[in-house]
């Protein structure tokens, strides 16, 4: 490709304020001319973006096909009945874009395709002889995200690889789940990423047993708890810890006057008692399919409630905060709520089980109770946010926080979709059985941003060879110099013939401008053909190190071949 014909247009005068959040990846994607914003969370892919998308897709396809998966392309517009059947029409909330066609029939734009794929499997896979089967596609998705941001990291329209596997047993599904974990690791390694596989919450997709693939980057929206010593890592929404030990003593139960003392900090000060001896109550207004109800969660005074764990515990669609008046209308005295509060939905953190002699709210203004024993018949769930310094559940070393960008997610679905959607096959004995399923996603367009977020410097992107639109940029320092022009064109043609992805910067622009574009876009190597061509010399510039090396013209193609080969 010749630069002059490439539709690559870089932006020099870029206002930082144009980038919500100030992420480098977003700035460089826009300035480098990879994408063009059409609407909030909706982007055109310009040639550089499109080529990166294709390169990423090809690596994904190669590894998946190698692992025995088959590729299809499913419809993007899907009838809402399918979503009613699976029960996700309500559960998915406003991210699901719904609309009517001219016949007033309801449709949705696919945010993910479990329903559609299960329907397909139902009609095409009828016998155990066809199992196992792992079917995937790489296609557009639409989620009407509340806050689309950070460029391609959180779009509304975006590209996803979504795969679904069908099995006749739990063991076989687990085998495939492990195979997909291995395959995903290969894919992300080939993309040049530093990543971590972590335990995860299963979210709206449902099912249990899920892992996320996180690209480690400060800009990540996900907080991870990772062990300093072993491999353990988990999304904070699902992180576990070795349960804390407390020195409890049963004491006489008595009511104490605690005027205007609503927070654990204030109470702990007032009563000169450590925070872990208190029970903290967190009240939420929970939205369920058909109603709204208050729910009270109890955790130790030294702990915080993890909202995703809490939502899962009571199976709510979402939470809203509750104010004092509203709480009072349910008979709840905020600031003084204790385990004996008269509400239907109450949950205790697992680590409160069997604890004795604690200080809890008395459910009346300005009073608490001392010497309270946690009821044995309470409903106990894991509700706490793991903190830095807590002990790893596997090896007991310290846990610490890291930030990650979720680029992949694999789930063990079991019959979460096949049962409600009645997707069955005939087993060996001629009996109908529900498919046992797994599902596997990769954020393909998000990966472009994630790669750049991890691989950049103050000048621009540092693209890995495997995904760079062009691996080599042959820069003609002065296009009016015929010798430079001819030598550069010859190098370009030779590299092209060797199937190296190469671009020839043949623009009538200043050398400095061309170098700045090379650094901004981040092609891995540049060959600079300048004045020294009269001595049969050119330079190779390495984008990652920004170092330049003088090379004989006769050797440059071979040198580049070696550099690219070595890096593979
Ligand atoms: P997130 O927690 O980031 O919202 P998710 O858990 O909702 O993501 P999944 O349903 O697991 O996402 O989708 C599979 C993959 O699709 C994710 O791992 C992520 O890489 C990608 N993805 C999800 N939402 C978006 C989005 N709005 N824009 C770009 N990629 C996305
Ligand atoms: Mg996810």
């Amino acid at each position: 490709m010749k630069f002059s014909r490439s539709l690559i247009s870089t932006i020099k005068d870029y206002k930082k304020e144009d980038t919500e959040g100030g992420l480098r990846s977003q700035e460089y994607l826009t300035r480098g001319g990879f994408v063009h914003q059409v609407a909030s969370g909706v982007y055109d892919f310009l040639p550089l973006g499109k080529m990166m998308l294709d390169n990423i897709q090809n690596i994904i396809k190669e590894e998946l096909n190698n692992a025995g998966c088959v590729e299809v392309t499913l419809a993007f517009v899907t009838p809402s009945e399918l979503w009613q059947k699976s029960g996700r029409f309500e559960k998915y909330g406003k991210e699901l874009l719904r609309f009517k066609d001219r016949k007033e029939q309801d449709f949705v734009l696919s945010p993910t395709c479990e329903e559609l794929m299960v329907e397909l499997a139902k009609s095409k896979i009828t016998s155990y002889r066809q199992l196992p089967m792992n079917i995937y596609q790489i296609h557009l998705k639409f989620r009407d995200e509340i806050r689309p941001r950070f460029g391609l990291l959180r779009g509304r329209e975006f590209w996803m690889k979504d795969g679904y596997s069908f099995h006749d047993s739990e063991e076989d599904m687990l085998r495939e789940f492990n195979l997909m974990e291995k395959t995903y690791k290969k894919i992300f390694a080939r993309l040049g990423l530093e990543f971590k596989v972590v335990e995860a919450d299963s979210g709206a997709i449902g099912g249990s047993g899920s892992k996320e693939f996180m690209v480690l980057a400060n800009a990540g929206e996900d907080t991870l708890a990772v062990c300093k010593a072993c491999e353990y890592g988990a999304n904070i929404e699902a992180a576990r810890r070795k349960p804390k030990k407390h020195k409890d003593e049963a004491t006489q139960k008595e009511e104490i006057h605690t005027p205007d003392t609503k927070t654990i900090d204030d109470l702990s000060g007032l009563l000169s008692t450590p925070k872990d001896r208190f029970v903290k109550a967190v009240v939420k207004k929970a939205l369920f399919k058909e109603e709204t109800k208050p729910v009270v969660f109890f955790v130790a005074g030294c702990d915080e409630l993890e909202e995703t764990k809490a939502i899962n515990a009571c199976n709510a669609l979402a939470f809203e905060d509750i104010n004092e008046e509203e709480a009072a209308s349910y008979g709840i005295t905020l600031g003084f709520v204790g385990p004996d509060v008269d509400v239907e939905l109450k949950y205790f953190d697992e680590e409160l089980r069997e604890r004795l002699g604690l200080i809890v709210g008395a459910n009346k203004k300005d009073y608490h109770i001392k010497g309270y024993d946690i009821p044995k018949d309470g409903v106990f769930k894991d509700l706490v946010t793991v903190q830095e310094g807590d002990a790893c559940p596997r090896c007991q070393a310290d846990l610490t926080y890291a930030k990650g960008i979720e680029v992949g997610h694999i789930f063990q679905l079991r019959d979460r979709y096949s049962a409600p959607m009645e997707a069955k096959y005939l087993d060996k004995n001629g009996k109908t059985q529900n498919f046992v399923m797994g599902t596997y996603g990769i954020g393909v367009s998000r990966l472009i941003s994630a790669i750049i977020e991890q691989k950049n410097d103050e000048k621009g992107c540092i693209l890995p060879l495997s995904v760079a639109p062009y691996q080599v940029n042959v820069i003609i320092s002065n296009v009016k110099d015929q010798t430079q022009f001819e030598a550069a064109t010859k190098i370009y043609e030779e590299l092209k013939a060797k199937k190296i992805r190469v671009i020839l910067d043949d623009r009538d622009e200043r050398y400095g401008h061309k170098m700045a574009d090379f650094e901004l876009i981040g092609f891995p190597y540049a060959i600079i053909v300048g004045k020294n061509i009269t001595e049969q010399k050119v330079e190779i510039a390495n984008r990652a190190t920004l170092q330049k090396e003088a090379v004989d013209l006769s050797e440059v193609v071979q040198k580049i071949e070696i550099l690219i080969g070595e890096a593979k």
Side-chain angles (χ1 to χ4, degrees):
M1 172 55 65
K2 296 196 171 147
F3 221 119
S4 56
R5 296 270 150 274
S6 68
L7 195 69
I8 300 173
S9 60
T10 54
I11 302 171
K12 223 170 165 191
D13 305 317
Y14 181 82
K15 283 197 242 82
K16 277 260 190 241
E17 359 2 317
D18 291 348
T19 317
E20 338 104 66
L23 289 199
R24 275 191 174 167
S25 59
Q26 192 181 359
E27 178 189 333
Y28 295 158
L29 274 179
T30 312
R31 276 181 54 204
F34 291 80
V35 295
H36 176 247
Q37 187 167 13
V38 178
S40 170
V42 181
Y43 288 85
D44 288 332
F45 289 83
L46 300 178
L48 290 178
K50 166 71 176 144
M51 280 185 269
M52 245 180 111
L53 196 65
D54 286 348
N55 292 340
I56 295 172
Q57 290 188 16
N58 288 339
I59 289 175
I60 295 174
K61 285 185 191 190
E62 252 178 58
E63 293 299 337
L64 290 177
N65 295 350
N66 238 334
C69 308
V70 287
E71 188 181 5
V72 295
T73 300
L74 300 186
F76 181 37
V77 171
T78 48
S80 66
E81 292 138 56
L82 291 180
W83 287 75
Q84 307 274 12
K85 264 199 223 166
S86 71
R88 277 211 296 184
F89 198 65
E90 288 81 17
K91 181 133 187 163
Y92 221 100
K94 289 196 169 158
E95 278 183 27
L96 185 64
L97 189 71
R98 303 143 211 249
F99 60 96
K100 286 185 192 296
D101 70 0
R102 66 206 295 167
K103 295 183 189 142
E104 293 292 302
Q105 276 162 349
D106 289 311
F107 283 87
V108 308
L109 284 187
S110 294
T112 161
C113 286
E114 280 76 7
E115 285 76 1
L116 212 54
M117 195 62 95
V118 170
E119 276 300 300
L120 182 75
K122 252 171 103 164
S123 68
K124 301 288 173 207
I125 309 175
T126 49
S127 154
Y128 73 95
R129 287 196 193 90
Q130 293 166 277
L131 298 175
M133 184 78 77
N134 188 333
I135 313 174
Y136 77 96
Q137 64 168 345
I138 298 181
H139 203 354
L140 272 182
K141 296 285 176 291
F142 193 93
R143 294 183 183 178
D144 203 355
E145 298 272 357
I146 185 164
R147 248 175 276 119
R149 58 193 159 152
F150 307 142
L152 301 177
L153 279 185
R154 188 164 297 284
R156 291 196 297 163
E157 181 180 282
F158 60 96
W159 287 86
M160 192 200 283
K161 172 261 153 175
D162 44 324
Y164 309 83
S165 67
F166 299 86
H167 309 269
D168 61 2
S169 70
E170 169 105 6
E171 300 86 79
D172 196 53
M173 183 270 291
L174 290 174
R175 177 203 50 75
E176 188 75 11
F177 183 84
N178 292 333
L179 174 65
M180 284 299 110
E181 178 174 347
K182 251 198 230 153
T183 308
Y184 274 34
K185 283 182 178 164
K186 277 193 206 157
I187 291 171
F188 295 125
R190 281 184 66 184
L191 297 177
L193 288 165
E194 280 159 56
F195 62 95
K196 185 147 182 93
V197 189
V198 299
E199 292 180 4
D201 170 60
S202 299
I205 295 197
S208 65
S210 88
K211 287 187 179 176
E212 284 168 343
F213 295 76
M214 292 285 182
V215 169
L216 302 174
N218 287 336
E221 289 185 276
D222 287 279
T223 301
L224 318 176
V226 292
C227 180
K228 285 184 174 167
C230 76
E231 284 284 290
Y232 179 77
N235 193 312
I236 195 74
E237 298 172 349
R240 295 171 292 118
R241 67 183 182 198
K242 178 170 178 270
K244 285 186 176 172
K245 287 246 176 326
H246 303 275
K247 286 198 194 106
D248 284 348
E249 252 174 59
T251 50
Q252 186 66 33
K253 195 167 167 184
E254 67 180 282
E255 196 170 82
I256 43 175
H257 192 214
T258 50
D260 283 332
T261 321
K262 296 181 178 177
T263 66
I264 300 288
D265 277 343
D266 292 348
L267 278 169
S268 163
L270 178 78
L271 304 173
S272 308
T273 308
K275 287 198 226 173
D276 77 311
R277 310 279 311 130
F278 294 83
V279 175
K280 186 190 284 181
V282 184
V283 184
K284 294 283 179 189
K285 201 163 73 178
L287 310 181
F288 296 98
K289 203 168 160 187
E290 265 142 21
E291 56 192 344
T292 302
K293 281 186 192 170
V295 190
V296 188
F297 299 95
F298 298 100
V299 297
C302 52
D303 284 326
E304 300 294 333
L305 181 75
E306 211 309 310
E307 191 147 316
T308 303
K309 289 183 181 178
I311 287 183
N312 291 343
C314 64
N315 210 10
L317 298 175
F319 283 163
E320 282 175 7
D321 286 334
I322 191 164
N323 62 30
E324 229 161 286
E325 280 146 35
E326 215 173 342
S329 74
Y330 291 115
I332 299 170
T333 314
L334 281 193
F336 301 93
V337 182
D340 295 335
V341 63
D342 186 18
V343 296
E344 179 195 337
L345 298 173
K346 291 190 265 192
Y347 298 90
F348 293 87
D349 179 52
E350 229 9 287
E351 291 184 33
L352 283 175
R353 206 188 272 276
E354 293 182 5
R355 291 199 56 195
L356 304 169
L358 303 180
I359 304 171
V360 303
N363 298 309
K364 74 178 177 192
K365 190 169 175 334
D366 293 342
Y367 285 90
H368 281 81
I369 292 171
K370 247 165 102 168
Y372 186 90
D373 301 341
I374 297 294
K376 293 204 167 30
D377 59 353
V379 182
F380 293 90
K381 302 265 181 183
D382 174 16
L383 296 176
V384 296
T385 311
V386 165
Q387 318 260 0
E388 285 195 286
D390 286 351
C392 171
R394 286 201 200 145
C395 77
Q396 281 141 63
D398 279 1
L399 293 171
T400 159
Y401 284 170
K403 287 285 180 191
I405 300 170
E406 182 195 323
V407 290
H409 199 162
I410 56 176
F411 300 85
Q412 297 166 19
L413 279 180
R414 301 190 167 77
D415 63 355
R416 162 70 184 81
Y417 291 87
S418 52
M421 298 184 72
E422 295 175 1
K424 297 175 192 298
Y425 66 93
L426 281 180
D427 72 8
K428 278 189 191 120
N429 307 316
K431 269 176 60 186
T432 56
Q433 303 282 0
N434 292 331
F435 289 116
V436 183
M437 288 180 61
T439 177
Y440 320 94
I442 296 182
V444 181
S445 48
R446 176 178 284 186
L447 272 166
I448 297 180
S449 282
I451 291 169
I452 296 177
E453 202 47 47
Q454 202 176 62
K455 312 281 170 201
N456 70 67
D457 62 15
E458 64 289 345
K459 289 175 187 278
C461 314
I462 303 175
L463 300 177
L465 274 168
S466 58
V467 294
Y470 298 105
Q471 297 162 312
V472 184
N473 180 9
V474 181
I475 298 175
I476 312 172
S477 184
N478 174 7
V479 284
K480 296 200 177 92
D481 181 323
Q482 198 58 24
T483 326
Q484 287 183 25
F485 196 95
E486 278 169 16
T489 307
K490 189 160 171 274
I491 297 170
Y492 163 71
E493 293 295 348
E494 279 181 39
L495 290 174
K496 233 170 51 167
K498 291 185 185 291
K499 304 263 179 277
I500 288 171
R501 300 196 295 277
V502 57
I503 185 163
L504 177 68
D505 196 342
D506 59 341
R507 294 173 300 169
D508 187 6
E509 296 279 359
R510 281 181 309 107
Y511 166 70
H513 179 83
K514 293 181 181 181
M515 276 308 280
D517 278 353
F518 160 64
E519 288 165 355
L520 173 62
I521 296 167
F523 301 124
Y525 296 102
I527 298 173
I528 304 158
V529 184
K531 282 191 192 126
N532 286 350
I533 197 69
T534 50
E535 284 137 48
Q536 303 291 302
K537 290 269 186 204
V538 295
E539 280 182 313
I540 293 180
N542 178 325
R543 175 59 189 91
T545 61
L546 289 174
Q547 278 174 355
K548 289 183 196 155
E549 184 199 350
V551 185
D552 286 340
L553 176 62
S554 58
E555 287 174 5
V556 68
V557 168
Q558 198 193 358
K559 277 237 153 112
I560 281 285
E561 268 190 298
I562 293 169
L563 283 172
I564 291 178
E566 273 174 2
K568 259 181 198 162

